Amino acid sequence: MDSRRPPLAPAFRTLPEYLRHWAETTPERRAFTFVDHPAPGSRGVHRTLTWRRLDMRVRAVAARLAAEAEPGARVALLCPQGLEYVTGFLAALTAGLVAVPLYPPGLPGQDDRLTAVLADARPAVVLTTSRHLEQVRELGDRVVAVDEVPDAAARDIERVDGEVAYLQYTSGSTRTPAGVEIGHTNVVANARQALTAYGADAHPVTCVGWLPLYHDMGLVLSVAAPVVRGLLSVLMDPVAFLHEPARWLRLLSAHPRALSAAPNFAYDYCASTVTDVQKAELRLDGVFALINGSEPVRPTTADRFQAAFAEQGLGARTHCPSYGLAEATVFVSAARPGQPLRRFALDRDALAEGKALPARPDDPRAVLLAGCGAPAGQRIRIADPLSQVVLSEGEVGEIQVQGPNVGRGYFRHEEQSRRVFGADGWLRTGDLGTVLEGQLLVTGRLKDLIVVDGRNHYPQDVEATVQDTHPALRRDRLAAFGVAGGSGERVVVVAEHTRTTSLAELDVPALARAVRAAVSARHGLRLADVVLVAPGTVPRTSSGKVSRALTRERYLAGAYAVGGAA
């Protein structure tokens, strides 16, 4: 039944309106399934809500929230990944409140951020589950456990519609996190844009995801888009993926025309760790599209993943490099499913000067980038970050975005909102890129750019060189950054070693010499310091990306052991 295409829904303004529509027109269709893995060897325990059942649970929790808080108040979601998270999020919107997607206390390395976000958002109510109730009570006066609200509480409430649906806190490492105000029309528009870009507006797909629901891509792809289109969304916990990545691939195998998203490291992780025994049970010929929204998207990763699972039937044209950010709800631009991966080999020296000029793909000094396609339902332009002059094709500048999905600004941060969201209607993303042959190419972050002797160097480019130098270096767990020195900017690399080795086993000076030689040959850079640290030491943002800013801050504070420096 669920593989049939759902009927088209009228155009509604809010997600709760779409939810009610599907509950009335397709009540017995499956809406959300959460696959739990309670033990290391678990094959997955499935729990499912139909559209009718989801609507009942949402109305029950919404009624409870409406009794606890005035319209427009913030509701923090401190639920674990699962059906209660989906229910709580939609209930907050249904009650006319502003949801703040977060996570329960105890997420490794994220407690300081959680405290800072709660201080900034000042929620009137906190939603959690009975399992986390005691922990969460220490963080808020009014706490509601989603799973303890009875069905009998369900009722239709007169919702007072505000403009803001939720606050999407950016995943960066700043001490004062900023919450993007995402309006009801923003999230519906962005869900429609993503559905169009990935072909899910015209084809029945199943959304399969493990990305955390407090992250922008996880929330839009696994909740908003399925609600708008009436699609089945199958969820699992990010930790379950990290413990055994084959679990994600099994879910892709089990559901027809699966649409899923993951950061670049996840594709490398699957290719390197999924065993032949695990591969034998996979059938990936039904996978519709795999979204890669990392910074950057590496063509070599797509190739590695494709080679690893070609025998399981994975289509050669399923990989969809994409670009987005929280300030635009999430989705901005994407390669389309069914099209070959667009690859660009660029001259490294010209790129450092702000020009995207072609190079030979086999040139060891070439920069290899994947095209992130084109936007759907919005506009992008490339502008000079200082003068705001719009640049021509092939010139590198700041990516700027205009469309109905662009958020309203930062909650209680007016000056920052004016600077980023601007008065001319264009969102300043802070990301650098260019357009070639109709494809958006993302080259890096403006704030992370390393400038040495007047030349620009992209840290992710240096990191890619470093991690390929030695097998003991852990992929995508390293940071390159600049620090002020007596004679100008000095470049430092902090890298984790793999879990299968230790510092005592490694010849750290020899490894550092190899890294320095590789970076010097490919980038013309002299590294001032190479620091090797234990797994888990390089800090990451809440979305799993390496935080260069926080790594730099810790390095300058002397937080890294001298024994790993060379």
Side-chain angles (χ1 to χ4, degrees):
M1 178 178 69
D2 294 283
S3 63
R4 294 202 310 264
R5 182 183 305 180
L8 290 173
F12 295 116
R13 177 179 170 271
T14 69
L15 294 180
E17 289 173 289
Y18 280 101
L19 169 60
R20 177 54 61 91
H21 170 79
W22 298 120
E24 291 175 348
T25 58
T26 61
E28 301 309 318
R29 287 180 66 93
R30 290 180 294 164
F32 288 87
T33 294
F34 180 66
V35 184
D36 193 16
H37 297 85
S42 172
R43 302 285 294 181
V45 178
H46 292 59
R47 291 174 56 216
T48 296
L49 292 176
T50 63
W51 288 106
R52 186 204 305 272
R53 179 73 181 146
L54 175 62
D55 179 62
M56 175 182 285
R57 292 301 304 150
V58 166
R59 287 189 295 116
V61 178
R64 175 66 185 278
L65 289 174
E68 293 280 349
E70 296 295 321
R74 273 84 59 203
V75 177
L77 282 97
L78 272 61
C79 300
Q81 190 99 334
L83 300 179
E84 289 80 11
Y85 204 113
V86 177
T87 301
F89 175 75
L90 294 172
L93 273 56
T94 300
L97 304 174
V98 178
V100 185
L102 292 167
Y103 40 83
L107 190 68
Q110 297 299 325
D111 278 350
D112 286 347
R113 178 179 181 273
L114 179 61
T115 302
V117 170
L118 291 173
D120 187 75
R122 302 174 188 171
V125 186
V126 176
L127 279 178
T128 188
T129 60
S130 54
R131 182 160 61 96
H132 294 276
L133 196 55
E134 292 306 314
Q135 278 181 295
V136 171
R137 276 186 174 141
E138 298 177 7
L139 300 174
D141 295 328
R142 295 184 179 182
V143 180
V144 174
V146 175
D147 52 333
E148 290 185 354
V149 177
D151 290 350
R155 62 182 178 88
D156 293 325
I157 59 176
E158 188 172 340
R159 187 162 54 94
V160 180
D161 272 343
E163 290 298 320
V164 180
Y166 61 98
L167 301 182
Q168 181 65 65
Y169 276 84
T170 55
S171 61
S173 62
T174 57
R175 293 296 184 188
T176 54
V180 184
E181 294 184 327
I182 303 297
H184 288 279
T185 54
N186 295 148
V187 65
V188 168
N190 203 231
R192 287 187 168 276
Q193 290 164 341
L195 289 165
T196 298
Y198 299 121
D201 58 339
H203 302 283
V205 302
T206 300
C207 297
V208 176
W210 56 265
L211 293 179
L213 297 181
Y214 57 79
H215 187 242
D216 47 14
M217 178 60 94
L219 189 62
V220 171
L221 195 68
S222 291
V223 180
V227 168
V228 166
R229 187 66 182 92
L231 303 171
L232 171 62
S233 180
V234 180
L235 302 165
M236 63 179 283
D237 194 285
V239 175
F241 164 76
L242 292 173
H243 285 172
E244 189 181 323
R247 290 167 170 165
W248 175 45
L249 303 181
R250 288 192 201 112
L251 290 183
L252 293 176
S253 295
H255 294 89
R257 297 182 66 80
L259 169 68
S260 193
N264 198 84
F265 88 85
Y267 295 103
D268 273 326
Y269 187 40
C270 287
S272 62
T273 60
V274 175
T275 66
D276 289 339
V277 172
Q278 291 170 330
K279 287 180 183 180
E281 61 180 324
L282 300 176
R283 289 296 307 167
L284 300 175
D285 52 317
V287 174
F288 181 65
L290 293 173
I291 301 163
N292 186 334
S294 282
E295 302 166 3
V297 179
R298 298 193 182 103
T300 51
T301 294
D303 293 341
R304 194 176 298 117
F305 187 81
Q306 175 62 37
F309 299 102
E311 291 186 8
Q312 283 65 52
L314 182 68
R317 298 185 174 187
T318 58
H319 214 81
C320 298
S322 304
Y323 166 72
L325 68 164
E327 287 79 357
T329 304
V330 62
F331 166 80
V332 171
S333 180
R336 305 309 195 245
Q339 296 183 0
L341 189 74
R342 296 295 302 275
R343 307 159 187 275
F344 294 85
L346 303 179
D347 182 273
R348 188 181 305 276
D349 293 333
L351 198 61
E353 300 297 327
K355 302 288 184 182
L357 299 180
R360 295 194 322 274
D362 59 350
D363 184 343
R365 284 181 49 79
V367 176
L368 302 178
L369 296 175
C372 290
Q378 54 191 300
R379 300 167 62 203
I380 60 172
R381 72 181 186 186
I382 307 298
D384 183 280
L386 298 177
S387 69
Q388 296 300 295
V389 171
V390 178
L391 302 177
S392 303
E393 178 165 318
E395 293 186 286
V396 177
E398 183 181 34
I399 302 168
Q400 299 186 352
V401 180
Q402 185 182 74
N405 54 298
V406 173
R408 300 168 54 82
Y410 295 112
F411 176 63
R412 298 198 302 112
H413 293 272
E414 292 184 9
E415 183 179 342
Q416 191 177 359
S417 294
R418 284 194 295 270
R419 185 172 65 252
V420 173
F421 290 83
D424 60 353
W426 288 89
L427 168 68
R428 299 192 61 177
T429 68
D431 291 318
L432 292 169
T434 188
V435 175
L436 282 178
E437 301 173 16
Q439 295 277 314
L440 174 66
L441 302 184
V442 182
T443 57
R445 289 285 294 168
L446 188 59
K447 67 179 182 181
D448 288 341
L449 202 61
I450 300 170
V451 183
V452 178
D453 297 329
R455 288 176 54 81
N456 296 333
H457 299 272
Y458 294 98
Q460 72 272 16
D461 198 14
V462 176
E463 290 158 6
T465 297
V466 172
Q467 70 182 12
D468 289 337
T469 303
H470 197 285
L473 294 173
R474 198 174 177 208
R475 300 192 70 83
D476 295 312
R477 293 293 186 273
L478 69 168
F481 50 87
V483 296
S487 57
E489 191 94 323
R490 299 163 60 244
V491 184
V492 174
V493 169
V494 176
E496 295 182 8
H497 61 74
T498 59
R499 294 189 182 279
T500 55
T501 188
S502 67
L503 280 176
E505 300 173 53
L506 292 171
D507 185 341
V508 175
L511 186 150
R513 285 194 297 272
V515 166
R516 292 176 194 276
V519 171
S520 176
R522 181 163 288 186
H523 305 274
L525 272 178
R526 179 185 178 276
L527 294 182
D529 205 356
V530 177
V531 183
L532 200 60
V533 296
T537 305
V538 174
R540 288 184 286 165
T541 68
S542 62
S543 59
K545 299 172 185 174
V546 165
S547 172
R548 299 185 185 100
L550 192 51
T551 308
R552 179 181 182 275
E553 182 181 317
R554 291 182 180 178
Y555 171 82
L556 291 174
Y560 299 118
V562 176

